[in-house]
Amino acid sequence: MIPRPRMLAILVGREARRLRKNPSALLLLGLLTAIAVLLSLSRPGPKPQMNCWVVYSEASPWTDLLRQRAANNPRIRVVSMAEVKSLSGFRVYPPHDCVIELVGQVSNLPAPPEPDQNGQIENLPHDQKINLRFLYPGNDPNVIAPYLQWFWPATAEHFGSTAPFAATTLPITGTSCGAVMERLKQSSITELMTEEFIATILLIIVLFVTCCHLQVSFTSQDRERGTLTALVLTPASTTELLLSRYIFHLSLGWTACAVIIGILRPVAFAHPLFWVTTALASIGLVSVGTVMAALARTQAAAGVLSLCYMLFGGVIFYLATKFSAFGSLKDASFESYSLPLLFLSLKQNLPLEKAPGLINLAGLVAAWTVAASWLFRQRGWR
Amino acid sequence: MSDVIVLDQLVVRFGRFVAVDRLSLSVRKGELFGFLGPNGAGKTTTIRVLIGGRAPSSGRVEVAGLRMPQQFDRIKPLFGYVPDTENHIEEFSGRENLELFARLYGIPLSEVGRVLAKLELSEAANLPVRAYSKGMRRKLLIAREILHRPRILYLDEPTANLDAHSTELVRRMLRELVADGTTVFITTHDMQEVEQICDRVAILCRGKLVECDTPTNFVTRHAERKVAVQYERSGEVLRERLDLDAEPERNRLADIVRHESCVRLHSQEFQFEDVFLKLTGQAYT
């Protein structure tokens, strides 16, 4: 029988009114949204624009090149150390600006030796190296990164790959800090990871709550009370009843995801992979919820089954990292594809055809949906 | 009158346990049919088969000329089912519950008010169902199932938890439905109810049909003529219950009337309940 839109509208409306009268579910959704809002508020905002002083101890063709490259950027000023004010032997810079100090006799440098296999030159005596000091305000070395992106290409253009530098990076307040590039690299990756990882985890939780947990809870409650039987005995068909539940939980899940992503990572709205993965993952979760509600006779049993599903999934994921034998079992769960795909879709706009495992995800979700539909008709409402 | 419900050699098994054993009966159109039996006799299981909630293990089930469960989708708009446990949407008010079902059946919402009034629930219509008393919940259930004016109405103990007034209200309503041509199939433990409202009664015991007839025929066929006599001897009051169909007990009654000081003498009329207990093998000895 073809589902009738009027019946679907009535049944979806009933689910929506029921959710409205279910404060605990609404509270949970509100809590997740509040977490997203808090995360977005605690995210560092855009830094105020700062200038960068490139200060050299001795003029050379290199500093001329730097000055030439800085001509188009009003925030970069290439000056001689003599032009900088000093106090008690310490140079004084404006408090919120970055500084790149080039200290050394560039003109007296000997011909650089051949670099080692790593491209490093370590055999020069210290006094024959140019000392670079990167100074930045506050404790976040990332603030100097845009100027380094300007500085290193211009420097490499002059010296090639054999530039004899000894570099240190210091907060402008004078506290010491670790190796420059490594720290920069680590911080930026960690920051990027955290934001997208948290967004992915929040999405999965939201999808699990709206599509799986609520579906299990509502359906098993209806079944235990006998309401499902009463609804099935009306002119609404079992297909319409099941479809209305899918429509309601998917709409709820997608709306909640859109809110979370709108708060945390709005750029993902433009990523087709995000929508496709969210759609597949949510359909899969509603199907899993339907299967669990059909297998469990009571709401309490369905709740336990839902918890077992989560724990079992976690154990399988853990075992798969330790023993290869569990790898295939992990691959049989659609979460092993939906999680990384969601993460990827938040990170970059990957074309659908290049998304790894998307076909597998679609196949597994289809299998769960067929199983859910069959089980619901056979025993889900009785 | 044509048969609306036909059960032919119906068997329902739960594993090895046979809940309904080769049950054959038919219910006529516009009949109020009572389905009786002690607890665990298979009454609810039979109703579940009739509403499509359980597939029969074997046998034939026809409702309004259609095969169950094969033609379930065509049969289900024809009947209403009042289960033995309430299955309301607890979060909704009484009116919201009925309005949802009215929309699903495609009937005007004005019908909701009419049915609520009929079952004297208009005042509580806007209260959440969870605030209803047991009796009110029962009446709301009946209201929901008569909303779409079904051709067949199955009721599993409809007057359980109802006060005397509401019980009378429901019985009168059922008689009205039958008068309008609705077939009513009812299970109950209230024997007085059976005698008062049922056109025919089937007694089920351990999944098997014991007998099926009108309540009057049941009583006529199984009636036992008994007399309770109370007499005084040496200042002490004695009581005896005597069966008039047994020669020695008839003689004993004559002796008491002739020689003792008889205080009270009552004929004990046989009730339908006695028939039920006798037939289900639990009659008092």
Side-chain angles (χ1 to χ4, degrees):
Chain A
M1 182 193 258
I2 299 165
R4 293 158 290 183
R6 188 181 69 83
M7 284 290 178
L8 291 176
I10 295 168
L11 292 168
V12 171
R14 178 250 166 170
E15 294 294 322
R17 275 195 294 166
R18 185 184 184 187
L19 178 73
R20 217 170 53 214
K21 297 188 177 185
N22 192 327
S24 54
L26 287 175
L27 190 71
L28 190 58
L29 286 176
L31 196 66
L32 289 168
T33 312
I35 290 172
V37 171
L38 284 176
L39 282 171
S40 74
L41 290 178
S42 63
R43 189 169 46 192
K47 292 280 179 287
Q49 287 291 321
M50 60 183 71
N51 296 321
C52 181
W53 299 82
V54 179
V55 181
Y56 55 87
S57 58
E58 184 193 295
S60 67
W62 175 34
T63 56
D64 291 344
L65 179 68
L66 290 175
R67 182 176 282 117
Q68 192 186 327
R69 288 293 152 86
N72 297 331
N73 193 335
R75 298 209 169 273
I76 302 174
R77 291 165 199 180
V78 182
V79 294
S80 159
M81 266 179 197
E83 297 175 52
V84 178
K85 277 195 293 183
S86 65
L87 189 66
S88 306
F90 291 99
R91 287 176 290 280
V92 179
Y93 298 108
H96 299 297
D97 288 353
C98 296
V99 180
I100 301 174
E101 283 187 346
L102 321 174
V103 185
Q105 299 280 317
V106 179
S107 55
N108 295 340
L109 282 176
E114 287 298 311
D116 63 13
Q117 57 182 3
N118 297 320
Q120 301 292 316
I121 301 167
E122 292 295 337
N123 54 351
L124 274 178
H126 190 70
D127 58 354
Q128 290 182 2
K129 286 180 180 176
I130 300 170
N131 283 307
L132 300 180
R133 296 177 75 213
F134 302 98
L135 310 174
Y136 55 87
N139 292 316
D140 183 8
N142 286 313
V143 297
I144 203 172
Y147 298 111
L148 294 181
Q149 280 169 7
W150 163 84
F151 174 77
W152 286 117
T155 303
E157 191 181 317
H158 179 75
F159 288 103
S161 60
T162 58
F165 297 128
T168 37
T169 303
L170 295 172
I172 212 157
T173 49
T175 51
S176 69
C177 118
V180 194
M181 299 313 286
E182 192 55 33
R183 168 116 184 226
L184 276 176
K185 195 177 162 191
Q186 278 180 0
S187 331
S188 61
I189 286 175
T190 309
E191 190 169 89
L192 207 64
M193 279 282 288
T194 305
E195 197 169 284
E196 283 155 359
F197 186 71
I198 288 176
T200 308
I201 294 299
L202 260 183
L203 281 184
I204 286 294
I205 292 173
V206 162
L207 283 177
F208 184 80
V209 168
T210 54
C211 297
C212 187
H213 174 71
L214 284 184
Q215 162 74 339
V216 170
S217 173
F218 283 4
T219 306
S220 56
Q221 190 183 54
D222 271 354
R223 193 176 173 210
E224 193 174 359
R225 284 179 182 171
T227 319
L228 211 49
T229 305
L231 290 171
V232 169
L233 296 182
T234 66
S237 67
T238 44
T239 308
E240 285 163 342
L241 208 61
L242 186 61
L243 198 58
S244 69
R245 277 159 196 268
Y246 267 81
I247 291 171
F248 170 72
H249 289 287
L250 293 180
S251 311
L252 186 66
W254 293 343
T255 308
C257 280
V259 170
I260 300 280
I261 286 306
I263 294 167
L264 282 180
R265 207 154 175 82
V267 69
F269 280 136
H271 299 173
L273 181 61
F274 167 72
W275 292 109
V276 172
T277 311
T278 305
L280 287 173
S282 52
I283 292 170
L285 283 166
V286 178
S287 302
V288 169
T290 309
V291 167
M292 284 193 281
L295 292 177
R297 288 208 171 271
T298 62
Q299 197 181 2
V304 171
L305 208 58
S306 163
L307 193 68
C308 287
Y309 176 81
M310 261 199 333
L311 291 176
F312 184 72
V315 169
I316 291 298
F317 270 58
Y318 172 74
L319 289 175
T321 61
K322 300 284 175 190
F323 310 101
S324 57
F326 288 92
S328 51
L329 205 56
K330 176 177 158 265
D331 291 345
S333 72
F334 68 83
E335 287 87 352
S336 67
Y337 303 101
S338 61
L339 264 167
L341 278 172
L342 265 182
F343 179 75
L344 263 179
S345 72
L346 296 182
K347 198 175 170 188
Q348 55 184 294
N349 191 5
L350 199 68
L352 291 179
E353 61 274 15
K354 288 186 180 172
L358 192 62
I359 301 291
N360 299 16
L361 174 65
L364 285 167
V365 167
W368 272 104
T369 309
V370 169
S373 170
W374 183 80
L375 265 175
F376 185 79
R377 282 162 203 278
Q378 290 303 307
R379 53 173 292 173
W381 62 272
R382 291 186 167 97
Chain B
M1 280 196 289
S2 59
D3 291 337
V4 175
I5 300 169
V6 177
L7 301 177
D8 183 19
Q9 295 290 307
L10 173 68
V11 177
V12 183
R13 288 194 189 90
F14 296 101
R16 287 182 181 175
F17 177 71
V18 183
V20 180
D21 192 3
R22 286 167 290 165
L23 174 64
S24 295
L25 60 85
S26 55
V27 180
R28 296 166 200 144
K29 183 173 182 283
E31 188 175 40
L32 207 160
F33 191 88
F35 200 50
L36 306 183
N39 293 333
K43 305 183 295 289
T44 302
T45 305
T46 306
I47 288 196
R48 289 219 177 113
V49 171
L50 285 169
I51 64 158
R54 177 155 198 100
S57 304
S58 66
R60 183 171 62 97
V61 179
E62 274 187 22
V63 178
L66 301 164
R67 290 293 294 270
M68 183 70 98
Q70 292 86 344
Q71 293 173 295
F72 172 67
D73 283 336
R74 287 181 64 193
I75 295 172
K76 64 179 187 171
L78 305 178
F79 67 80
Y81 167 54
V82 179
D84 53 346
T85 51
E86 291 92 24
N87 56 3
H88 300 295
I89 301 164
E90 298 286 321
E91 297 86 355
F92 288 11
S93 69
R95 187 183 297 281
E96 284 174 328
N97 264 281
L98 294 196
E99 282 178 353
L100 171 70
F101 281 81
R103 285 194 189 96
L104 288 170
Y105 279 105
I107 53 178
L109 293 183
S110 56
E111 279 292 290
V112 170
R114 184 189 65 81
V115 173
L116 283 168
K118 194 169 185 176
L119 281 143
E120 299 178 351
L121 286 169
S122 300
E123 280 182 28
N126 296 322
L127 289 177
V129 171
R130 59 167 72 100
Y132 278 28
S133 69
K134 283 186 178 177
M136 288 161 80
R137 296 164 79 94
R138 200 91 199 122
K139 285 200 285 184
L140 184 67
L141 208 54
I142 295 169
R144 190 183 79 192
E145 297 304 325
I146 61 169
L147 193 60
H148 63 291
R149 298 174 193 265
R151 281 170 59 184
I152 305 161
L153 185 60
Y154 301 111
L155 301 108
D156 204 348
E157 300 181 35
T159 52
N161 295 317
L162 291 185
D163 59 35
H165 173 75
S166 300
T167 302
E168 189 49 40
L169 181 83
V170 170
R171 286 177 186 166
R172 200 170 56 232
M173 193 202 64
L174 292 178
R175 287 306 324 174
E176 283 171 16
L177 286 172
V178 169
D180 289 345
T182 308
T183 306
V184 177
F185 188 96
I186 180 174
T187 75
T188 180
H189 289 119
D190 186 343
M191 300 302 154
Q192 196 191 352
E193 185 167 86
V194 172
E195 268 190 300
Q196 278 184 10
I197 64 168
C198 289
D199 297 319
R200 277 200 309 148
V201 175
I203 295 178
L204 200 67
C205 191
R206 293 177 183 169
K208 289 184 179 170
L209 181 68
V210 178
E211 223 171 302
C212 181
D213 211 332
T214 62
T216 317
N217 284 351
F218 264 114
V219 176
T220 310
R221 198 171 332 126
H222 296 282
E224 293 173 0
R225 297 184 305 135
K226 287 188 176 168
V227 172
V229 61
Q230 202 173 322
Y231 56 93
E232 195 178 329
R233 183 191 290 166
S234 314
E236 191 182 356
V237 177
L238 302 167
R239 292 181 186 86
E240 283 188 43
R241 195 161 178 257
L242 301 165
D243 187 351
L244 297 183
D245 290 327
E247 181 68 29
E249 293 196 28
R250 270 207 304 271
N251 293 338
R252 172 70 190 139
L253 177 65
D255 276 351
I256 291 169
V257 172
R258 202 175 297 133
H259 304 296
E260 306 286 355
S261 172
C262 196
V263 181
R264 299 176 81 177
L265 183 66
H266 285 287
S267 69
Q268 296 228 314
E269 288 177 17
F270 206 64
Q271 304 287 325
F272 185 80
E273 188 169 351
D274 301 308
V275 178
F276 174 78
L277 293 173
K278 185 179 171 184
L279 288 174
T280 53
Q282 293 173 21
Y284 297 116
T285 54

